[in-house]
Amino acid sequence: MLYSTNLPLVLVASFTTVLAFSNTSPFVAWSSVSTSPLRQLRPVSSTPHSSEVFGKFLSEIDLCEYDAVIVVDQPGLHASDLRTLSPSSYIAMRLHDSPSSLQLPYVRSTPDATNPIQDLASKVAQRCGSQRLSFPIGTVPDTLDLESKHVLSLTMPALVESAGARKRSVAEHEARLAGELERIERAFPRHLVIFSGSRRQDDTVPKPAPSGGILARYQLLTPALITSLLLALFVLVPIVLFGISALAKFNHLCASSRQRASMRREKEPIGERVT
C-alpha cells in the first residue's frame, strides 16, 4: 500500500510494529511544486524493492525540472524511527504541508553492498547535467552556485543506538537536518527532497536462502550430535540389551525353580506333607 500527498508523518506509525520487516528502510520525499507523478507513484507491493522505487522515480518523474534535488541518506534508519518524531517536527510538517509528498515505510534494500540512494543521486546528476555535491550533515557551505542545477547528497550519522538513546539521537539528527534543509530550500525554491535509510557498514549482507530440504538450510548433524548418536548406538544400546537379556534369564530361572518345587510337592505322599 502507498501513502502519498498531504499525509502527516504520524500515519507512518500505522505501518510499523504490526509486522516486523527486516532489511528494509523508509523512503519519504516531498516537493515544493505540485507533481502528479510523485503523488501517484504506485509500487507493486507494500514492501517494494529499492530498484523498483528508484526505477520509477527516474522513469516517471521529471527530476530535471528542479533547481535542486536533495538526497538525504541515514544508515540504519527504520520506519519505527520516524514514528518517534513529533507531529510538529520539520519532516512531519514538510510531508503534511508540501504540494506533493510520498511515504513508503518499507523499502527492501539490495542484496549486495551498494547504496541505492547514492546511486540515484549519481544518475539524476548525470541525466540533468547538475552539479553533484556531497556533504556530511552540518557541513553544507553557506553559499552555493545559484546559476546551475544541483544534486546535493547529505549524509547523516548512522543510527546504532537502541531504546531511549536511539529516540534521542533521531530527534537530534532531525533537528540538525532541518537547519540545513531550510537554508537550501530558501536558496533553491524549486526543490525536491528525498530522505531514505541505507544499510550500515557494519551490517552483514543478507545471504539468499539455500534451496533444498531442511538439511540444506540448517546444520543438524553437528559433531557433538554425531558423537552422541555413536555413543548411544555402541555403548548405551548394548548395555540396555544386555540388561533386558539378563532380566529375562533371571525371570526364566525363577519360573523354572518354582515349577520344580511345585512338582516335588505333588510327588510327596500326603502324610509326609503334614508336619
Side-chain angles (χ1 to χ4, degrees), residues 228-269:
S228 301
L229 291 175
L230 292 176
L231 181 65
L233 181 62
F234 294 105
V235 178
L236 296 180
V237 171
I239 292 175
V240 172
L241 292 178
F242 176 78
I244 294 174
S245 177
L247 183 60
K249 289 180 180 180
F250 178 76
N251 289 335
H252 178 70
L253 291 175
C254 291
S256 298
S257 179
R258 287 194 298 269
Q259 185 178 10
R260 286 194 297 269
S262 176
M263 291 176 64
R264 284 198 300 269
R265 286 196 299 269
E266 291 177 355
K267 292 180 180 180
E268 291 178 359

Side-chain angles (χ1 to χ4, degrees), residues 54-77:
F54 298 141
K56 285 181 174 292
F57 238 76
L58 290 170
S59 62
E60 299 182 12
I61 299 176
D62 184 9
L63 299 172
C64 298
E65 71 170 318
Y66 297 101
D67 298 323
V69 175
I70 304 110
V71 176
V72 183
D73 174 26
Q74 183 161 30
L77 181 70

Side-chain angles (χ1 to χ4, degrees), residues 113-266:
T114 60
N115 189 328
I117 190 69
Q118 297 299 339
D119 291 345
L120 175 65
S122 298
K123 291 177 180 178
V124 173
Q126 183 178 9
R127 172 180 295 185
C128 303
S130 306
Q131 292 188 47
R132 187 190 173 188
L133 302 175
S134 299
F135 304 101
I137 194 70
T139 64
V140 179
D142 293 332
T143 58
L144 294 169
D145 182 9
L146 304 182
E147 300 299 323
S148 61
K149 294 180 180 296
H150 286 75
V151 174
L152 302 176
S153 297
L154 306 183
T155 303
M156 300 181 67
L159 288 172
V160 296
E161 302 86 354
S162 59
R166 186 181 183 95
K167 181 179 180 180
R168 289 191 295 271
S169 292
V170 170
E172 292 171 0
H173 296 164
E174 196 268 350
R176 294 174 59 191
L177 176 64
E180 297 275 48
L181 292 181
E182 285 176 343
R183 290 195 297 109
I184 297 173
E185 290 173 351
R186 285 195 298 267
F188 300 98
R190 294 182 63 86
H191 59 265
L192 171 69
V193 178
I194 301 170
F195 181 31
S196 180
S198 61
R199 185 183 295 115
R200 298 199 314 261
Q201 291 184 353
D202 58 345
D203 284 347
T204 56
V205 178
K207 298 180 180 179
S211 59
I214 189 172
L215 292 178
R217 297 174 181 268
Y218 306 101
Q219 185 181 4
L220 295 182
L221 298 179
T222 61
L225 182 58
I226 293 175
T227 302
S228 301
L229 291 175
L230 292 176
L231 181 65
L233 181 62
F234 294 105
V235 178
L236 296 180
V237 171
I239 292 175
V240 172
L241 292 178
F242 176 78
I244 294 174
S245 177
L247 183 60
K249 289 180 180 180
F250 178 76
N251 289 335
H252 178 70
L253 291 175
C254 291
S256 298
S257 179
R258 287 194 298 269
Q259 185 178 10
R260 286 194 297 269
S262 176
M263 291 176 64
R264 284 198 300 269
R265 286 196 299 269
E266 291 177 355

Side-chain angles (χ1 to χ4, degrees), residues 82-99:
L82 298 184
R83 181 170 60 101
T84 65
L85 293 175
S86 166
S88 61
S89 65
Y90 175 83
I91 294 178
M93 296 301 295
R94 281 291 184 269
L95 288 170
H96 181 265
D97 297 335
S98 295

